[in-house]
Amino acid sequence: LTHMATKSKDLRELSVDEINRRIRDLKVEGINLKLQKATGALENPARVRAIRREHAQLLTILAERKAKA
């Protein structure tokens, strides 16, 4: 998947392994953006919110799947 805004529908089509990998990648990117913000080098402040939102969506999808199982 690209790092552009990802639709919830597309996220729901991912496997659990893909979701976990994506969550890990988002965490790393979020940490990098926090460092950029601290050093004043943050180019796209909106990306911080987008990462938090997608991370939350992925966690919600995992929770829903666990509830169904």
Side-chain angles (χ1 to χ4, degrees):
L1 290 173
T2 64
H3 286 291
M4 300 307 292
T6 312
K7 290 191 168 44
S8 183
K9 179 183 70 130
D10 296 331
L11 294 176
R12 289 181 184 282
E13 293 171 357
L14 297 175
S15 72
V16 173
D17 286 342
E18 288 171 324
I19 288 176
N20 286 325
R21 189 176 317 115
R22 188 106 168 127
I23 287 172
R24 191 176 61 240
D25 292 345
L26 288 171
K27 280 184 183 177
V28 169
E29 188 176 351
I31 291 168
N32 289 336
L33 289 176
K34 283 180 190 172
L35 289 172
Q36 287 179 25
K37 185 176 182 185
T39 59
L42 187 59
E43 290 181 13
N44 183 3
R47 184 72 186 130
V48 176
R49 182 170 184 234
I51 287 175
R52 281 204 325 260
R53 179 180 180 177
E54 186 176 330
H55 183 252
Q57 286 175 320
L58 290 168
L59 291 176
T60 300
I61 291 167
L62 280 181
E64 288 171 352
R65 289 186 184 177
K66 285 179 182 162
K68 280 184 186 175

